[in-house]
Amino acid sequence: MLKNQKPQELKAWQKLQKNSIYDKRTLKIRFYEDSERFSKYHVNWDGILFDFSKNHMGSETFSLFQELLEEAGVREAIMQQQSGEKINVTEDRAVLHTALRNMSDKPIFVDGKDVMPGVKASWAQLATFSNEVRSGAWKGYTGKRIKHVVNIGIGGSDLGPRMVINALKPFQTEEMTFHFVANVDGADLHEILKKVDPETTLFIVASKTFTTQETMTNANSAKSWFLENGGQDADVARHFVAVSTNADGVAEFGIDTENMFGFWDWVGGRYSVWSSIGLPVVLSIGFQGFQEFLNGAHAMDNHVAEADWNENIPALMAVLGIWYRNFQNAPSHAILPYDQYLDKFAAYFQQGDMESNGKYVDRAGNRVNYPTGPIIWGEPGTNGQHAFYQLIHQGTDLIPSDFIAAKNCQHSLRDHHPILMANFIAQTEALMKGKSRTEVEIEMRQAGISENEVDKIAPYRVFEGNRPTNSIVLDEVNPYHLGQLVAAYEHKIFIQGFIWNIFSYDQWGVELGKVLAKTVFNELNGGPAHDHDSSTLALINYLKK
Ligand code: G6Q
């Protein structure tokens, strides 16, 4: 069990509190005073450059970060997680997505049983099935190969494969197209069904519980569509497979459990892309590619467990996040990938982070009196520059941001890449430096603007700067480096949740949503009325009509 400790009682936390008050030098001054700043505050490890020098910290803050990680016992917590302890206390489960990418020979025990043979068996099942489908040996009911794969799932059973498939498009087979249906809004499935045909489509029904209303509704509609458009009951097995932990539910739905890819209760939904939930990824890039993805994550698992704090990428990301959230009042954190293939990355970690650390009850069951998980948001650059960056540059909130880029691009339009990279670098520089009143005035005078106008407009054109950023540069977005990157964020989330003294691996807020809708649904369908407030009641009656 992870220890229960109030962060404010840690000495390092108290020292950081003081440090945040007296060391207010701006980033610009810090860089001016210390020409070695970049060399002190970056990590270059295994194809990833992590530059955290553009952050509000000096050498004292940096040592306090390390002191905090040490005093809190983060090293031990990581061990507890990776060795299969039941750290998800409210659900009485281990948290072992790291086992899904355990490429070492080390066994990992849950309730006295090594989970690795099961993990390896699932790899074998994924490899065999994906080889058959990718090669065309797996045929649809009219003897044609599979050309479309439709993943039906939501939340953790959707966002992971969706994000990875997008990120690794350059590695994708050209034989198949991949589609995702998540929303119970029929429009989602309807639009996909317009693009596919029953003879060549494989539906993957992905649901850990196999009870989720949205997924079951979409799966049933997809099955009806299949049967109404030429498929027979006996053909379902060639066109529907399931990824789940619930064999009974799968059988009841009518999918042959031979065609079921299992995983375990110790895999959280939002951490499940490494399991059979990654099936669309395996079909897309092949099992070898998937293993590279796992390899990258495994390397990061070792890195977080072993690297010294001053060069430990996830640990540094975590304490920097705590620094801004708890000591500088930052309500949100932006993830800004300068890579179009990573266009779902921010959305993916919006769930990963907010569902994990959006909690106000600590590990002792008490309400916390300090902020926990920030709002996570973001979009790829450069698009965001023409939209919400305004608020990052000149808004009233401090928004620490992660800029993610790749040194080498994965397309042939080579001229574009230096432009993209120039924008990424220029933004981090501008956010850090800002533009002073004097600079603005000189610029305006040089442009021949009248003194009167300079006086009037100059204040609006001033940028305070001093906006912190991390820059994360991968050699390229390939399966290995993507695996590292995703795992780095996962570990960051865990370390933050651990220090905040909350349980990062349950999601009672999500469970609530799953139950609430059922009551209202029954009422909308003429079921007995429940006691509601006037607004809820009026809405129900309005939609009933
Ligand atoms: C993830 C959450 C949630 C979950 C979905 C789908 O950590 O628990 O996003 O993944 O609600 O659940 P099923 O996979 O059980 O359908």
Side-chain angles (χ1 to χ4, degrees):
M1 185 140 83
L2 296 177
K3 62 179 164 183
N4 158 43
Q5 78 194 343
K6 292 197 170 75
Q8 295 121 317
E9 287 173 5
L10 297 170
K11 286 198 190 68
W13 184 282
Q14 293 159 7
K15 288 190 213 166
L16 278 168
Q17 189 77 61
K18 286 193 194 128
N19 183 270
S20 69
I21 296 162
Y22 68 71
D23 191 356
K24 292 279 190 199
R25 277 171 302 162
T26 63
L27 282 171
K28 199 168 154 184
I29 289 177
R30 289 180 195 280
F31 272 99
Y32 180 73
E33 286 176 351
D34 183 0
S35 58
E36 295 301 300
R37 213 176 144 76
F38 169 77
S39 55
K40 285 183 189 159
Y41 304 127
H42 81 272
V43 182
N44 195 342
W45 170 79
D46 200 12
I48 302 183
L49 172 69
F50 176 56
D51 171 14
F52 58 102
S53 59
K54 290 192 185 91
N55 276 294
H56 293 175
M57 48 166 248
S59 53
E60 194 182 332
T61 320
F62 188 44
S63 19
L64 289 176
F65 286 169
Q66 296 168 62
E67 216 175 297
L68 179 68
L69 291 159
E70 199 56 37
E71 190 188 350
V74 170
R75 193 77 69 186
E76 198 197 331
I78 294 170
M79 283 304 295
Q80 286 177 286
Q81 175 182 25
Q82 295 198 11
S83 63
E85 273 192 39
K86 294 200 174 174
I87 61 165
N88 176 358
V89 169
T90 63
E91 295 181 321
D92 192 28
R93 289 173 182 170
V95 178
L96 274 182
H97 41 279
T98 47
L100 301 167
R101 58 217 192 193
N102 172 20
M103 299 299 171
S104 76
D105 294 330
K106 271 192 244 150
I108 299 175
F109 295 98
V110 173
D111 292 328
K113 197 175 155 228
D114 182 9
V115 300
M116 287 316 297
V119 170
K120 288 180 182 157
S122 89
W123 289 343
Q125 193 193 7
L126 288 171
T128 311
F129 180 71
S130 62
N131 283 341
E132 272 194 64
V133 176
R134 282 167 59 85
S135 68
W138 181 283
K139 304 266 189 259
Y141 68 94
T142 55
K144 295 185 183 162
R145 63 156 299 136
I146 297 298
K147 289 192 186 144
H148 297 280
V149 176
V150 180
N151 191 77
I152 299 178
I154 196 165
S157 301
D158 166 73
L159 289 164
R162 200 192 276 260
M163 180 276 285
V164 175
I165 293 246
N166 265 9
L168 300 179
K169 257 193 194 134
F171 300 83
Q172 189 172 308
T173 171
E174 287 180 358
E175 300 282 356
M176 292 182 282
T177 317
F178 292 81
H179 313 268
F180 289 86
V181 176
N183 202 335
V184 73
D185 182 340
D188 204 5
L189 179 63
H190 173 74
E191 289 302 322
I192 300 297
L193 293 180
K194 287 204 296 203
K195 297 182 196 155
V196 302
D197 74 275
E199 294 172 68
T200 59
T201 301
L202 178 74
F203 291 94
I204 301 174
V205 185
S207 173
K208 181 172 168 182
T209 54
F210 230 73
T211 55
T212 305
Q213 188 188 40
E214 291 91 331
T215 303
M216 290 302 106
T217 307
N218 279 322
N220 277 311
S221 300
K223 196 169 135 194
S224 307
W225 169 86
F226 175 76
L227 296 174
E228 285 156 15
N229 287 281
Q232 304 293 316
D233 279 330
D235 304 325
V236 168
R238 309 296 300 163
H239 292 270
F240 285 80
V241 297
V243 182
S244 187
T245 57
N246 175 2
D248 293 343
V250 170
E252 203 177 309
F253 176 84
I255 291 179
D256 189 345
T257 45
E258 283 282 296
N259 299 334
M260 167 176 159
F261 299 81
F263 58 113
W264 304 269
D265 72 355
W266 41 260
V267 183
R270 56 196 173 277
Y271 297 91
S272 63
V273 68
W274 318 99
S275 71
S276 311
I277 288 287
L279 176 60
V281 179
V282 189
L283 290 170
S284 156
I285 63 168
F287 186 70
Q288 243 182 334
F290 187 66
Q291 277 223 305
E292 271 302 286
F293 177 57
L294 303 185
N295 276 330
H298 180 61
M300 188 54 82
D301 298 341
N302 289 336
H303 171 82
V304 73
E306 289 157 13
D308 290 342
W309 295 134
N310 62 349
E311 48 194 35
N312 193 309
I313 298 171
L316 292 170
M317 288 166 76
V319 279
L320 281 163
I322 288 177
W323 178 233
Y324 294 118
R325 185 78 182 111
N326 299 96
F327 301 99
Q328 303 199 28
N329 214 12
S332 81
H333 184 103
I335 299 181
L336 309 169
Y338 276 65
D339 192 297
Q340 191 58 31
Y341 290 119
L342 292 177
D343 66 336
K344 297 277 181 287
F345 194 81
Y348 177 67
F349 274 110
Q350 188 166 61
Q351 171 183 37
D353 202 312
M354 292 169 73
E355 202 172 313
S356 298
N357 288 341
K359 318 269 165 80
Y360 62 73
V361 178
D362 72 11
R363 288 200 290 273
N366 301 316
R367 198 181 210 293
V368 300
N369 57 359
Y370 45 87
T372 60
I375 296 161
I376 302 289
W377 59 287
E379 282 289 327
T382 59
N383 304 12
Q385 290 173 204
H386 300 265
F388 56 77
Y389 277 39
Q390 166 62 38
L391 188 139
I392 306 184
H393 281 287
Q394 287 189 310
T396 47
D397 278 323
L398 178 77
I399 303 179
S401 312
D402 292 346
F403 281 69
I404 303 172
K407 205 162 139 189
N408 301 312
C409 63
Q410 298 284 13
H411 55 77
S412 54
L413 301 171
R414 300 280 152 187
D415 296 353
H416 291 233
H417 200 58
I419 303 176
L420 180 68
M421 293 302 98
N423 274 279
F424 140 54
I425 296 171
Q427 284 292 332
T428 66
E429 187 181 34
L431 286 164
M432 181 272 281
K433 270 191 172 164
K435 198 190 267 183
S436 68
R437 171 84 187 219
T438 319
E439 286 169 299
V440 170
E441 287 182 0
I442 293 173
E443 203 179 88
M444 290 179 83
R445 282 186 195 118
Q446 274 169 359
I449 296 170
S450 73
E451 278 310 308
N452 201 4
E453 196 70 357
V454 170
D455 249 17
K456 213 163 86 192
I457 305 298
Y460 303 99
R461 295 176 59 155
V462 169
F463 292 83
E464 281 174 348
N466 206 26
R467 311 297 212 237
T469 56
N470 290 322
S471 294
I472 304 172
V473 186
L474 310 180
D475 276 356
E476 60 180 21
V477 179
N478 62 22
Y480 184 83
H481 292 309
L482 182 70
Q484 289 175 309
L485 183 70
V486 175
Y489 273 88
E490 289 180 348
H491 291 304
K492 166 205 157 162
I493 293 166
F494 170 63
I495 294 171
Q496 291 188 331
F498 172 69
I499 294 178
W500 282 325
N501 202 31
I502 53 179
F503 288 120
S504 296
Y505 294 107
D506 57 18
Q507 55 284 311
W508 297 105
V510 177
E511 310 301 334
L512 173 73
K514 294 190 180 187
V515 180
L516 286 181
K518 290 196 175 135
T519 317
V520 177
F521 176 74
N522 289 337
E523 288 183 56
L524 278 176
N525 278 328
H530 286 77
D531 192 20
H532 294 291
D533 58 89
S534 60
S535 159
T536 311
L537 201 61
L539 287 168
I540 292 174
N541 288 332
Y542 188 72
L543 287 173
K544 246 181 172 172
K545 279 181 205 151

